[in-house]
Amino acid sequence: MSTAVVVTIFTVVRNRLSVLLIERSEKPFQGIWALPGGLLQPGETLDDAATRKLQEETGLQDVFLEQLYTFDNLAQTKTETTVAYFALIHDADAKLRQELEWKPEWFPLSTLKALAFDNQIILENAKDRLRSKLEYTNIAYSVLPESFTLSEMQHVYEAITEEPLDKRNFRKKIVSLGIVQETGRLKKQGAHRPAKLYKFMNRTQTVI
Amino acid sequence: MSTAVVVTIFTVVRNRLSVLLIERSEKPFQGIWALPGGLLQPGETLDDAATRKLQEETGLQDVFLEQLYTFDNLAQTKTETTVAYFALIHDADAKLRQELEWKPEWFPLSTLKALAFDNQIILENAKDRLRSKLEYTNIAYSVLPESFTLSEMQHVYEAITEEPLDKRNFRKKIVSLGIVQETGRLKKQGAHRPAKLYKFMNRTQTVI
DNA sequence: CCAAAAGTGTTCTGACTACACCCATGC
DNA sequence: GCATGGGTGTAGTCAGAACACTTTTGG
């Protein structure tokens, strides 16, 4: 009878919403991919444990991480309750653990196989919450670099919602919300017109 | 190291949003009002325990009840995690336990004193969630009788949001949402014009 | 006839949708 | 000069907000 945390870590890799999974090297569910998680350590709070897990797998701290839902009866182990968290990060900032066993890897949501335990349910839950929060908060900041173009930002929105967006309407809306600020200058990056760079006014979660 | 549930039970009594509290007859926090709650019993799921608590205090089953958030370090007892739930009920349906000790009672939110444990935080959390769900779901059905007038419904909305609403706009919106249906006939009830009665199309939670 | 609550429509404004062309660059 | 992605404006529609008077009843 103990408490565990599990963390659904999302990012956008090459315009695809992806989740961090770990191939289990022990029973139960040996060889099956699972969300990162584990038992609370003595003296640790739930938030502590989720923060630690996120840090262990990605090296990141001080990023978007929030509690999702609490499940019971996960699998047939003796864990009684599992508190699920979800995080959203900028993939270039993450340094994944490089180990032979329990190796973490990004998977686009569209390419998922069967997951261990009840992780599928947790993941669906996390995806719903992520999409819903994208609509009424600025959490997109979590998945973008410090400075970015509006096209990059639009691709993030499209990856998460899986809906194409109209370019002009998207830009009009983001600008009128006043959540980003034009910053610095144009940059040269390829065979096309240089883009304006923007940054978020707030790199903490705010309701918009 | 164990898991507890606590249930924030809301209703609207005489146009005031109210919550069910119990005066503790034992330490810790003896004599202080607290949200109903307790430890999980062996073999019980979280939902089971919350359902049982709700039933013990109000006699009700099959009403709106959902998980809210999971807290740790509640007070200095040895309980490790507390899973909070919230419920919304029609007060005339509830039959409160009538006991001398641990007696439950409705309190309008505006008249609250200090609460035991971290119940104040849980309550704020529950109130926020309730208000937010009122906006995008039909949960008002939970606090209304089978058949009701649009004025009664408006009073429920006003009690929960603590904002006055325009009568014409409210009615226009509710009717256009198609979540209620005119039913039966007028009724006579006092020194005023008889009102049309409505009922919800769905007495389960739906997103609107 | 008076008090009390029920019922009802119009106008204005702001947000969202749909939609097509020119621009700056690298090769 | 052409391919690539960046950048921009207008018109239509719909939902929400503001707002005041008449109706039915009981006493």
Side-chain angles (χ1 to χ4, degrees):
Chain A
M1 179 145 122
S2 52
T3 304
V5 296
V6 60
V7 188
T8 306
I9 307 171
F10 289 114
T11 195
V12 175
V13 184
R14 280 177 303 146
N15 294 342
R16 294 194 175 274
L17 178 59
S18 304
V19 64
L20 191 71
L21 298 178
I22 291 173
E23 190 174 17
R24 292 181 57 83
S25 58
E26 282 177 18
K27 296 191 175 183
F29 293 98
Q30 187 169 25
I32 307 296
W33 294 87
L35 297 170
L39 295 179
L40 257 71
Q41 291 179 353
E44 218 178 22
T45 65
L46 295 167
D47 286 357
D48 286 345
T51 304
R52 172 174 57 80
K53 269 290 154 195
L54 177 61
Q55 206 279 334
E56 287 172 4
E57 304 303 337
T58 66
L60 293 174
Q61 272 174 318
D62 300 319
V63 296
F64 176 84
L65 174 65
E66 87 175 21
Q67 191 188 301
L68 182 62
Y69 199 78
T70 299
F71 299 86
D72 46 27
N73 293 330
L74 277 203
Q76 291 71 0
T77 64
K78 51 186 178 294
T79 295
E80 188 170 84
T81 61
T82 297
V83 183
Y85 279 74
F86 85 110
L88 188 57
I89 68 163
H90 176 47
D91 76 303
D93 293 341
K95 307 262 183 281
L96 300 193
R97 263 194 309 115
Q98 295 297 341
E99 301 185 6
L100 290 175
E101 307 252 304
W102 301 95
K103 187 173 170 182
E105 200 171 308
W106 292 115
F107 287 87
L109 289 198
S110 49
T111 67
L112 287 188
K113 353 182 169 276
L115 300 183
F117 305 108
D118 287 1
N119 283 354
Q120 187 62 40
I121 291 166
I122 297 177
L123 181 56
E124 294 296 335
N125 218 301
K127 202 186 345 171
D128 289 348
R129 179 89 135 252
L130 169 61
R131 286 182 177 154
S132 140
K133 295 206 77 153
L134 188 68
E135 285 178 7
Y136 69 92
T137 71
N138 65 345
I139 54 167
Y141 79 84
S142 302
V143 79
L144 285 164
E146 178 76 18
S147 150
F148 52 88
T149 67
L150 289 186
S151 292
E152 286 166 345
M153 186 171 178
Q154 181 174 344
H155 290 142
V156 165
Y157 272 75
E158 290 174 331
I160 295 177
T161 61
E162 290 175 1
E163 298 285 342
L165 294 170
D166 178 85
K167 196 187 349 180
R168 282 170 291 189
N169 293 339
F170 179 78
R171 297 160 101 92
K172 219 183 319 170
K173 170 148 186 194
I174 296 300
V175 169
S176 77
L177 283 172
I179 57 173
V180 296
Q181 189 177 26
E182 200 177 329
T183 181
R185 300 285 54 256
L186 314 184
K187 82 182 173 192
K188 328 197 179 232
Q189 57 179 2
H192 60 271
R193 184 175 178 180
K196 296 187 184 172
L197 291 176
Y198 291 83
K199 65 176 181 183
F200 277 90
M201 311 283 277
N202 260 315
R203 289 202 136 244
T204 52
Q205 188 189 167
T206 44
V207 173
I208 56 182
Chain B
M1 179 145 122
S2 51
T3 303
V5 298
V6 60
V7 189
T8 305
I9 307 170
F10 289 114
T11 195
V12 175
V13 184
R14 280 177 303 145
N15 294 341
R16 294 194 175 274
L17 178 60
S18 305
V19 63
L20 191 71
L21 298 178
I22 292 173
E23 190 175 16
R24 292 180 58 81
S25 59
E26 281 176 20
K27 296 190 175 185
F29 292 99
Q30 188 170 25
I32 307 296
W33 294 88
L35 296 170
L39 296 178
L40 257 73
Q41 292 181 352
E44 219 179 21
T45 66
L46 295 167
D47 286 358
D48 286 346
T51 303
R52 171 175 57 81
K53 269 289 155 194
L54 177 62
Q55 206 278 334
E56 287 172 3
E57 303 303 337
T58 66
L60 293 174
Q61 273 175 316
D62 300 319
V63 296
F64 177 84
L65 173 66
E66 88 174 20
Q67 191 187 301
L68 183 61
Y69 199 79
T70 299
F71 299 87
D72 46 27
N73 292 331
L74 277 200
Q76 292 70 1
T77 64
K78 48 187 180 295
T79 295
E80 188 169 87
T81 60
T82 298
V83 183
Y85 279 74
F86 85 111
L88 187 58
I89 67 163
H90 176 46
D91 76 302
D93 292 341
K95 306 262 184 282
L96 302 193
R97 263 194 309 114
Q98 294 297 338
E99 300 185 7
L100 291 173
E101 308 250 306
W102 302 96
K103 187 175 170 180
E105 200 171 308
W106 292 114
F107 287 88
L109 288 198
S110 49
T111 67
L112 287 189
K113 356 186 165 273
L115 300 183
F117 305 109
D118 288 1
N119 283 355
Q120 187 62 39
I121 292 167
I122 298 177
L123 181 55
E124 295 296 335
N125 219 302
K127 203 186 345 172
D128 289 348
R129 179 89 136 254
L130 170 60
R131 285 182 178 153
S132 139
K133 295 207 76 155
L134 188 66
E135 286 179 7
Y136 69 92
T137 70
N138 66 345
I139 53 167
Y141 79 83
S142 302
V143 78
L144 285 164
E146 177 76 18
S147 150
F148 52 88
T149 68
L150 289 186
S151 293
E152 286 167 345
M153 187 174 180
Q154 181 174 343
H155 290 141
V156 164
Y157 272 75
E158 289 174 331
I160 295 176
T161 60
E162 289 175 1
E163 297 285 342
L165 294 170
D166 179 85
K167 192 176 11 167
R168 282 169 292 188
N169 292 338
F170 179 77
R171 295 159 102 92
K172 221 184 315 172
K173 170 147 186 197
I174 296 301
V175 169
S176 78
L177 283 173
I179 57 173
V180 296
Q181 190 177 27
E182 201 177 328
T183 181
R185 300 286 53 255
L186 315 182
K187 83 182 171 190
K188 329 200 179 228
Q189 56 180 1
H192 61 269
R193 184 175 176 177
K196 296 185 185 174
L197 290 176
Y198 291 82
K199 64 177 181 182
F200 277 89
M201 310 283 278
N202 258 317
R203 289 203 135 244
T204 53
Q205 189 188 167
T206 43
V207 173
I208 58 181

Coordinates of all heavy atoms in Angstrom, one line a residue, chain B residues 138-169:
Chain B
N138 N -23.5 21.2 -18.2 CA -24.9 21.3 -17.7 C -25.0 21.0 -16.3 O -26.1 20.6 -15.8 CB -25.8 20.4 -18.6 CG -25.5 18.9 -18.3 OD1 -24.4 18.7 -17.8 ND2 -26.3 18.0 -18.7
I139 N -23.9 21.0 -15.5 CA -24.0 20.5 -14.1 C -25.1 21.2 -13.2 O -25.4 20.7 -12.2 CB -22.7 20.5 -13.3 CG1 -22.1 21.9 -13.3 CG2 -21.8 19.4 -13.8 CD1 -20.9 22.0 -12.3
A140 N -25.6 22.3 -13.7 CA -26.7 22.9 -12.9 C -27.8 21.9 -12.6 O -28.6 22.0 -11.7 CB -27.2 24.1 -13.6
Y141 N -28.0 20.9 -13.5 CA -29.0 19.9 -13.3 C -28.9 19.3 -11.9 O -29.9 18.9 -11.3 CB -29.0 18.8 -14.3 CG -28.0 17.8 -14.1 CD1 -28.2 16.7 -13.2 CD2 -26.7 17.8 -14.7 CE1 -27.2 15.7 -13.0 CE2 -25.7 16.9 -14.5 CZ -26.0 15.9 -13.7 OH -25.0 14.9 -13.4
S142 N -27.7 19.2 -11.4 CA -27.4 18.5 -10.1 C -28.1 19.2 -8.9 O -28.3 18.6 -7.9 CB -26.0 18.5 -9.8 OG -25.3 17.8 -10.9
V143 N -28.3 20.5 -9.1 CA -28.7 21.3 -7.9 C -30.2 21.7 -8.0 O -30.8 22.3 -7.1 CB -27.8 22.5 -7.7 CG1 -28.1 23.6 -8.7 CG2 -27.7 23.0 -6.3
L144 N -30.8 21.3 -9.2 CA -32.2 21.6 -9.4 C -33.1 20.4 -9.3 O -32.6 19.3 -9.5 CB -32.4 22.2 -10.8 CG -31.9 23.7 -10.9 CD1 -31.7 24.1 -12.4 CD2 -32.8 24.6 -10.3
P145 N -34.3 20.6 -8.9 CA -35.3 19.4 -8.9 C -35.6 19.0 -10.3 O -35.2 19.6 -11.3 CB -36.5 20.0 -8.2 CG -36.4 21.5 -8.4 CD -35.0 21.8 -8.5
E146 N -36.2 17.9 -10.5 CA -36.6 17.3 -11.7 C -37.2 18.4 -12.7 O -36.8 18.5 -13.8 CB -37.6 16.2 -11.5 CG -38.2 15.5 -12.7 CD -37.2 14.6 -13.4 OE1 -36.2 14.2 -12.7 OE2 -37.4 14.2 -14.6
S147 N -38.0 19.2 -12.1 CA -38.8 20.2 -12.9 C -38.7 21.5 -12.2 O -38.7 21.6 -11.0 CB -40.2 19.7 -13.1 OG -41.1 20.7 -13.2
F148 N -38.4 22.6 -12.9 CA -38.0 23.9 -12.3 C -38.4 25.0 -13.3 O -38.6 24.8 -14.5 CB -36.5 23.9 -12.1 CG -35.7 23.5 -13.3 CD1 -35.4 24.5 -14.2 CD2 -35.4 22.2 -13.6 CE1 -34.7 24.2 -15.4 CE2 -34.7 21.9 -14.7 CZ -34.3 22.8 -15.6
T149 N -38.4 26.2 -12.8 CA -38.6 27.4 -13.7 C -37.3 28.0 -14.1 O -36.3 27.8 -13.4 CB -39.4 28.4 -12.9 OG1 -38.6 29.0 -11.9 CG2 -40.7 27.9 -12.3
L150 N -37.3 28.7 -15.1 CA -36.1 29.4 -15.6 C -35.6 30.4 -14.5 O -34.4 30.6 -14.4 CB -36.2 30.1 -16.9 CG -36.4 29.1 -18.1 CD1 -36.4 29.8 -19.4 CD2 -35.3 28.1 -18.1
S151 N -36.5 31.0 -13.8 CA -36.1 31.9 -12.7 C -35.3 31.1 -11.6 O -34.2 31.6 -11.1 CB -37.3 32.5 -12.0 OG -37.8 33.4 -13.0
E152 N -35.8 29.9 -11.3 CA -35.0 29.1 -10.3 C -33.6 28.8 -10.8 O -32.6 28.9 -10.1 CB -35.8 27.8 -10.0 CG -37.0 28.0 -9.1 CD -38.0 26.8 -9.1 OE1 -37.8 25.9 -9.9 OE2 -38.8 26.8 -8.2
M153 N -33.6 28.4 -12.1 CA -32.3 28.1 -12.7 C -31.4 29.3 -12.7 O -30.2 29.2 -12.3 CB -32.5 27.6 -14.1 CG -31.3 27.1 -14.8 SD -31.7 26.3 -16.4 CE -30.1 25.8 -16.9
Q154 N -31.9 30.4 -13.0 CA -31.1 31.6 -13.0 C -30.5 31.9 -11.6 O -29.4 32.3 -11.4 CB -31.9 32.8 -13.5 CG -31.0 34.1 -13.5 CD -31.8 35.3 -14.1 OE1 -32.8 35.1 -14.8 NE2 -31.2 36.5 -13.9
H155 N -31.4 31.7 -10.5 CA -30.9 31.9 -9.2 C -29.8 31.0 -8.8 O -28.8 31.4 -8.1 CB -32.1 31.7 -8.2 CG -33.1 32.8 -8.3 ND1 -34.4 32.6 -8.2 CD2 -32.9 34.2 -8.5 CE1 -35.1 33.8 -8.3 NE2 -34.2 34.7 -8.6
V156 N -29.8 29.8 -9.3 CA -28.7 28.8 -9.1 C -27.4 29.4 -9.7 O -26.4 29.4 -9.1 CB -29.1 27.4 -9.6 CG1 -27.8 26.6 -9.7 CG2 -30.1 26.8 -8.7
Y157 N -27.5 29.8 -10.9 CA -26.4 30.3 -11.6 C -25.8 31.5 -10.8 O -24.6 31.7 -10.7 CB -26.7 30.7 -13.1 CG -26.5 29.6 -14.0 CD1 -27.4 28.5 -14.1 CD2 -25.4 29.5 -14.9 CE1 -27.2 27.5 -15.0 CE2 -25.2 28.5 -15.8 CZ -26.1 27.4 -15.8 OH -25.9 26.4 -16.7
E158 N -26.7 32.4 -10.4 CA -26.3 33.6 -9.7 C -25.6 33.3 -8.3 O -24.7 33.9 -7.9 CB -27.4 34.6 -9.5 CG -27.8 35.2 -10.8 CD -29.1 36.1 -10.8 OE1 -29.9 35.8 -9.9 OE2 -29.2 37.0 -11.6
A159 N -26.2 32.2 -7.7 CA -25.6 31.8 -6.4 C -24.2 31.3 -6.6 O -23.3 31.6 -5.7 CB -26.5 30.8 -5.7
I160 N -24.0 30.5 -7.6 CA -22.7 29.9 -7.8 C -21.6 30.9 -8.3 O -20.5 31.0 -7.9 CB -22.8 28.7 -8.7 CG1 -23.6 27.6 -8.1 CG2 -21.4 28.1 -9.1 CD1 -23.9 26.4 -8.9
T161 N -22.0 31.8 -9.3 CA -21.1 32.7 -9.8 C -20.9 34.0 -8.9 O -20.0 34.7 -9.1 CB -21.5 33.2 -11.2 OG1 -22.7 33.8 -11.1 CG2 -21.6 32.0 -12.2
E162 N -21.9 34.2 -8.1 CA -22.0 35.5 -7.4 C -22.0 36.7 -8.3 O -21.5 37.7 -7.9 CB -20.9 35.6 -6.3 CG -21.1 34.6 -5.2 CD -19.9 34.5 -4.2 OE1 -19.0 35.3 -4.4 OE2 -20.0 33.8 -3.2
E163 N -22.6 36.5 -9.5 CA -22.7 37.6 -10.4 C -24.2 37.7 -10.8 O -24.8 36.7 -11.1 CB -21.9 37.4 -11.7 CG -20.4 37.3 -11.5 CD -19.8 38.7 -11.3 OE1 -20.5 39.7 -11.6 OE2 -18.7 38.7 -10.7
P164 N -24.8 38.9 -10.8 CA -26.1 39.0 -11.3 C -26.2 38.8 -12.8 O -25.3 39.1 -13.5 CB -26.5 40.4 -11.0 CG -25.2 41.2 -10.9 CD -24.2 40.2 -10.4
L165 N -27.3 38.2 -13.3 CA -27.4 37.9 -14.7 C -28.6 38.6 -15.2 O -29.6 38.8 -14.5 CB -27.6 36.4 -14.9 CG -26.4 35.5 -14.6 CD1 -26.7 34.0 -14.6 CD2 -25.2 35.8 -15.5
D166 N -28.5 39.0 -16.5 CA -29.7 39.6 -17.2 C -30.7 38.5 -17.5 O -30.4 37.5 -18.1 CB -29.2 40.3 -18.4 CG -30.4 40.9 -19.2 OD1 -30.7 42.1 -18.8 OD2 -30.9 40.3 -20.1
K167 N -31.9 38.8 -17.1 CA -33.0 37.7 -17.2 C -33.2 37.3 -18.7 O -33.3 36.2 -19.0 CB -34.3 38.3 -16.6 CG -35.3 37.2 -16.5 CD -36.6 37.6 -15.8 CE -36.9 39.0 -15.6 NZ -38.4 39.2 -15.2
R168 N -33.3 38.4 -19.6 CA -33.6 38.0 -21.0 C -32.5 37.3 -21.6 O -32.7 36.3 -22.3 CB -34.0 39.3 -21.7 CG -35.3 39.8 -21.4 CD -35.6 41.2 -22.0 NE -34.8 42.2 -21.2 CZ -34.9 43.5 -21.4 NH1 -35.7 44.0 -22.2 NH2 -34.2 44.3 -20.6
N169 N -31.3 37.8 -21.4 CA -30.1 37.1 -22.0 C -30.0 35.7 -21.5 O -29.6 34.8 -22.2 CB -28.9 37.9 -21.8 CG -28.9 39.2 -22.5 OD1 -29.6 39.4 -23.5 ND2 -28.1 40.2 -22.0

